[in-house]
Amino acid sequence: MIDLSKYEIWFLVGSQKLYGPQVLEQVAQHAQTIVRALDSSPAIPARVVYKPVLTTAEEMHEVCLAANSAPNCAGVITWMHTFSPAKNWIAGLKALQKPLAHLHTQFNQDLPWATIDMDFMNLNQSAHGDREYGFMVSRLRLNRKVIVGHWQDPDVHAQIGAWARAACGWLDSQNMKVARFGDNMRFVAVTEGDKVEAQIRFGYQVNGYGLGDLAAYVQQASPAEVDALIAEYLDTYEVAAELRPGGARHQSVRDAAQVEVGLRRFLADGGFTAFTTTFENLHGLKLLPGLAVQRLMAEGYGFGAEGDWKTAALVRTMKVMSAGLEGGTSFMEDYTYHLNPAGMWVLGAHMLEVCPSIAGGKPRLEVHPLSIGGKEDPARLVFDARPGPGLNVSIVDMGNRLRMIVNTVDVVEPPAQMPRLPVARAVWRPHPDLKVAAAAWIYAGGAHHTGFSQALTVEHMQDLAEIFDVEFLLIDEKTDLRQFKNEIRWNEASY
Ligand code: MN
């Protein structure tokens, strides 16, 4: 499971020597009070760490270099309590390679109207000190999140928390290794892309393996390891009698468990946190991994089907960002439509591989034939996604840039049973409606595969896009197609 409390966000306070030691001591105390509040805020999942007040260009440069090389530092928050002449920040900001947020706050929430004097004014200067600093960040063309409000304001904590989650996702991505079993599904375009550019932009590496490499691991799974997993399945899911030990089709579940043991060990041995499969290439495996993929995703692994490494990595990053939040995150595909004018919905599903973290109830373990691929009947978990707000995210390679597209949705209770559809599924109404959302998605070149989440919000994804410095297109309740097409045209010019 993913633990974000191992990550640190450094809190940097800029000032200058002009004010004398007494004022600087007060600045330090105030900053420590703020850091204690942010560090203990349940809205901020990472640790917030105080750093001594910075008064010279050398100190600022030094702390930025230290942040770069601190392995658990996911980002820095900056704040100018007093006036911090921003030429002092040039060397530090130029060197900084970690995500940057700018907290535009003031220690005092209220002006002390009756007692305010020039001492108060000189201490509480962020209203102009932060503007001086902000100019320099803009002058250097650096991406950052500016968060405005009092440091005890829950909305400020929420905004810092969203950014901190994106920063943790970014840091995880720098060290991510994606295992690709087989190559791309033949002839498919959108799942391809420039892996070198992706590694430069996102940090993660994508490495291909022959199916024989995985098959060897699967063959080595011991009966005791398979037994242990069967016991876990029986504990966790609804399992029909014929699939239980002694049942007529129990062997199919054992085959699936054997694949899980092997796949799990392969990923652990190689330090992989995301992977892809493709049903066209299963050499040496008895079946398409369905159950194993679903269970590994539920533990935080990223996954993409048909060789889709961009979505596999995206799902992993979304898993990291959503750790500890209500609601699940999964690999997903826009599969089929309900186009009735009375209510238009998307049925999202895949052949097998949807994460049970989005399940509305206890998943059922079932075994059914797969109509494509020509292998044995694979085990899978079957369930409906829980109703409520969610979003779909796609990353596509436009040739000259990587583009992130987000569409907000409302997951609905399926209006009827689907007794003959033995896969996990989600039914949703995309925003603003199916016609506009699908048209906008298609104009944007969005993929059929997505990272789907009921835990993350637009703010999380936009913060992530800013940190990665990739194009961000949002399709939501406010989307107007004419404007959206213009946005695409203007972005083309901007890139
Ligand atoms: Mn697919």
Side-chain angles (χ1 to χ4, degrees):
M1 284 292 168
I2 298 158
D3 174 20
L4 300 187
S5 68
K6 70 177 178 187
Y7 294 117
E8 295 180 352
I9 301 295
W10 288 12
F11 193 87
L12 310 185
V13 186
S15 188
Q16 60 178 323
K17 298 234 188 278
L18 177 74
Y19 306 108
Q22 262 183 321
V23 169
L24 287 177
E25 180 50 38
Q26 240 177 327
V27 170
Q29 280 173 16
H30 288 172
Q32 287 169 72
T33 303
I34 292 175
V35 166
R36 274 196 297 276
L38 299 182
D39 187 41
S40 58
S41 170
I44 302 170
R47 302 302 310 267
V48 181
V49 178
Y50 170 78
K51 294 289 162 185
V53 177
L54 306 162
T55 58
T56 66
E58 289 74 19
E59 289 170 358
M60 289 152 187
H61 188 213
E62 216 170 282
V63 79
C64 289
L65 293 178
N68 288 347
S69 56
N72 287 340
C73 175
V76 301
I77 297 175
T78 47
W79 173 52
M80 310 303 130
H81 190 2
T82 51
F83 196 81
S84 178
K87 286 190 208 172
N88 284 344
W89 279 97
I90 292 175
L93 287 174
K94 273 175 68 185
L96 186 67
Q97 289 168 351
K98 294 281 168 99
L100 176 64
H102 179 187
L103 176 60
H104 183 45
T105 191
Q106 178 170 289
F107 189 73
N108 274 63
Q109 178 187 274
D110 294 347
L111 279 183
W113 302 104
T115 58
I116 188 166
D117 56 12
M118 279 316 288
D119 285 345
F120 181 94
M121 299 275 277
N122 281 331
L123 183 62
N124 295 279
Q125 293 192 55
S126 52
H128 65 287
D130 271 331
R131 288 170 202 246
E132 159 74 0
Y133 168 78
F135 162 73
M136 185 49 69
V137 187
S138 291
R139 175 70 178 76
L140 291 169
R141 270 76 173 173
L142 296 180
N143 287 359
R144 80 287 205 186
K145 184 176 192 179
V146 179
I147 299 158
V148 181
H150 191 251
W151 53 277
Q152 289 172 311
D153 180 348
D155 174 60
V156 166
H157 289 206
Q159 286 193 55
I160 295 173
W163 170 83
R165 286 181 178 280
C168 292
W170 170 85
L171 185 53
D172 180 81
S173 186
Q174 302 312 303
N175 306 306
M176 190 196 306
K177 288 165 73 182
V178 183
R180 203 153 176 256
F181 299 112
D183 195 79
N184 204 56
M185 179 182 168
R186 280 184 283 279
F187 319 123
V188 175
V190 77
T191 49
E192 296 276 16
D194 183 344
K195 298 191 199 75
V196 175
E197 176 61 22
Q199 187 165 349
I200 293 167
R201 181 65 54 188
F202 299 117
Y204 60 71
Q205 42 175 299
V206 183
N207 297 315
Y209 293 88
L211 264 290
D213 299 333
L214 176 58
Y217 271 78
V218 171
Q219 278 150 23
Q220 280 161 23
S222 73
E225 288 173 309
V226 170
D227 288 342
L229 277 184
I230 300 281
E232 199 179 318
Y233 298 169
L234 295 173
D235 254 13
T236 317
Y237 313 117
E238 280 183 32
V239 185
E242 60 165 7
L243 299 181
R244 291 173 168 269
R249 308 192 66 195
H250 180 60
Q251 186 56 41
S252 297
V253 180
R254 292 193 71 84
D255 291 344
Q258 192 178 348
V259 170
E260 179 177 336
V261 171
L263 181 53
R264 193 176 278 284
R265 183 162 297 140
F266 186 102
L267 297 173
D269 280 0
F272 298 102
T273 50
F275 63 104
T276 70
T277 60
T278 172
F279 67 89
E280 276 186 333
N281 186 350
L282 296 170
H283 191 78
L285 296 185
K286 279 192 193 168
L287 42 85
L288 175 66
L291 177 63
V293 169
Q294 292 179 292
R295 285 170 47 78
L296 285 162
M297 248 194 290
E299 279 173 39
Y301 284 90
F303 174 75
E306 290 107 45
D308 189 348
W309 50 272
K310 290 193 298 300
T311 305
L314 172 66
V315 169
R316 165 63 186 184
T317 298
M318 291 171 74
K319 289 276 183 188
V320 171
M321 288 167 67
S322 62
L325 292 178
E326 280 290 315
T329 294
S330 179
F331 171 73
M332 187 57 76
E333 178 167 307
D334 292 79
Y335 219 111
T336 193
Y337 287 147
H338 182 72
L339 289 179
N340 191 306
M344 298 192 190
W345 298 308
V346 179
L347 173 62
H350 206 256
M351 282 183 289
L352 304 172
E353 311 92 335
V354 173
C355 178
S357 66
I358 67 168
K362 193 174 186 179
R364 297 185 304 282
L365 178 58
E366 300 184 10
V367 173
H368 300 277
L370 200 63
S371 48
I372 41 181
K375 289 276 176 173
E376 291 187 22
D377 300 353
R380 80 288 304 273
L381 298 172
V382 180
F383 54 84
D384 288 298
R386 119 183 25 95
L391 48 75
N392 274 304
V393 186
S394 172
I395 289 180
V396 293
D397 185 341
M398 296 302 292
N400 63 341
R401 63 189 186 275
L402 290 148
R403 166 181 283 170
M404 181 190 293
I405 306 144
V406 174
N407 183 201
T408 53
V409 306
D410 280 316
V411 177
V412 300
E413 197 82 58
Q417 300 279 310
M418 293 174 269
R420 301 188 49 168
L421 184 68
V423 293
R425 61 270 171 139
V427 179
W428 64 76
R429 181 184 74 84
H431 297 165
D433 57 57
L434 192 147
K435 284 183 171 181
V436 172
W441 191 272
I442 288 169
Y443 282 127
H448 54 286
H449 287 167
T450 60
F452 167 86
S453 181
Q454 294 182 289
L456 297 172
T457 64
V458 170
E459 185 177 14
H460 291 114
M461 298 317 301
Q462 186 161 16
D463 287 355
L464 184 71
E466 288 259 356
I467 292 171
F468 279 134
D469 197 19
V470 297
E471 183 185 4
F472 179 80
L473 291 174
L474 173 64
I475 304 164
D476 68 359
E477 290 288 13
K478 291 184 191 147
T479 293
D480 165 84
L481 268 184
R482 194 166 54 89
Q483 200 60 31
F484 190 78
K485 289 172 79 171
N486 279 336
E487 193 177 336
I488 290 174
R489 286 191 192 101
W490 295 332
N491 284 2
E492 195 61 44
S494 148
Y495 281 89

